[in-house]
Amino acid sequence: MFNIVLHEPRIPGNVGTIGRLAFALNCKLHLIKPYGFGDITEKQVRRAGLDYWYDLEVYEYENIEEFWQKNPLSNRHFFATTKTKKVYFDQEFKEGDYFYFGREDAGLPESLLTKNEKGCITIPMTNEARSLNLANSVSIVAYEALRQNFKAFK
């Protein structure tokens, strides 16, 4: 269906929760190192992912360059950030799209956003909050993509 890309995630519980979401939506989960924890076999990842974790289509990469070698950049790659005004619900998503999310403490690197400015999207907030929880952000964007394409997946 879609591809969820986590760039250098820091919190194992978020990765597990996102893995569970990815399984529920039949998405592929791509994890780009380094992580802020040991590895994806950690107890916190498995606990949040429940028994779904072992049926999930998950891929690990040593760095973003390795990821792009296997998943070349295109106009179907979208980068979630607070540093754009282009809201996610104004974007038309298609099956196979890639949704990138950055570290919980820093987001996606500025160089990555600058290089891919046309693909940047944001989740609007109505007050001065800096950001949302990573797992919540992934859910919001993934379910909007599903909403737009739901009839194709029935």
Side-chain angles (χ1 to χ4, degrees), residues 6-8 30-35 38-39 59-70:
L6 302 183
H7 186 263
E8 301 181 3
H30 304 271
L31 303 173
I32 300 171
K33 296 177 182 176
Y35 307 143
D39 62 37
Y59 303 92
E60 293 183 272
Y61 306 88
E62 292 301 316
N63 52 50
I64 193 76
E65 289 78 19
E66 180 187 353
F67 173 78
W68 284 335
Q69 285 174 356
K70 296 176 181 173

Side-chain angles (χ1 to χ4, degrees), residues 28-61:
K28 295 176 185 174
L29 179 60
H30 304 271
L31 303 173
I32 300 171
K33 296 177 182 176
Y35 307 143
F37 51 91
D39 62 37
I40 63 169
T41 61
E42 281 198 13
K43 186 168 85 173
Q44 296 110 316
V45 175
R46 290 191 321 268
R47 183 176 353 153
L50 295 175
D51 54 339
Y52 303 111
W53 189 259
Y54 298 103
D55 294 319
L56 173 65
E57 194 170 347
V58 61
Y59 303 92
E60 293 183 272
Y61 306 88

Side-chain angles (χ1 to χ4, degrees), residues 116-129:
N116 300 287
E117 191 174 330
K118 288 185 179 184
C120 289
I121 56 173
T122 194
I123 300 168
M125 294 174 276
T126 59
N127 66 19
E128 301 303 316

Side-chain angles (χ1 to χ4, degrees), residues 95-153:
E95 183 176 1
D97 283 352
Y98 290 80
F99 306 124
Y100 291 68
F101 298 87
R103 292 170 46 159
E104 290 91 339
D105 62 343
L108 291 167
E110 194 73 39
S111 60
L112 188 62
L113 299 174
T114 302
K115 184 177 177 180
N116 300 287
E117 191 174 330
K118 288 185 179 184
C120 289
I121 56 173
T122 194
I123 300 168
M125 294 174 276
T126 59
N127 66 19
E128 301 303 316
R130 287 187 313 277
S131 64
L132 297 171
N133 170 274
L134 178 62
N136 290 341
S137 296
V138 173
S139 296
I140 289 167
V141 173
Y143 269 97
E144 172 60 17
L146 174 65
R147 184 194 67 77
Q148 291 180 17
N149 293 275
F150 188 67
K151 290 179 183 170
F153 296 110

Side-chain angles (χ1 to χ4, degrees), residues 52-93:
Y52 303 111
W53 189 259
Y54 298 103
D55 294 319
L56 173 65
E57 194 170 347
V58 61
Y59 303 92
E60 293 183 272
Y61 306 88
E62 292 301 316
N63 52 50
I64 193 76
E65 289 78 19
E66 180 187 353
F67 173 78
W68 284 335
Q69 285 174 356
K70 296 176 181 173
N71 305 277
L73 269 173
S74 73
N75 66 348
R76 303 314 311 168
H77 290 237
F78 299 95
F79 302 82
T81 178
T82 59
K83 298 176 176 93
T84 187
K85 295 198 183 300
K86 191 177 356 172
V87 294
Y88 75 97
F89 48 74
D90 285 343
Q91 180 62 53
E92 182 182 327
F93 298 121

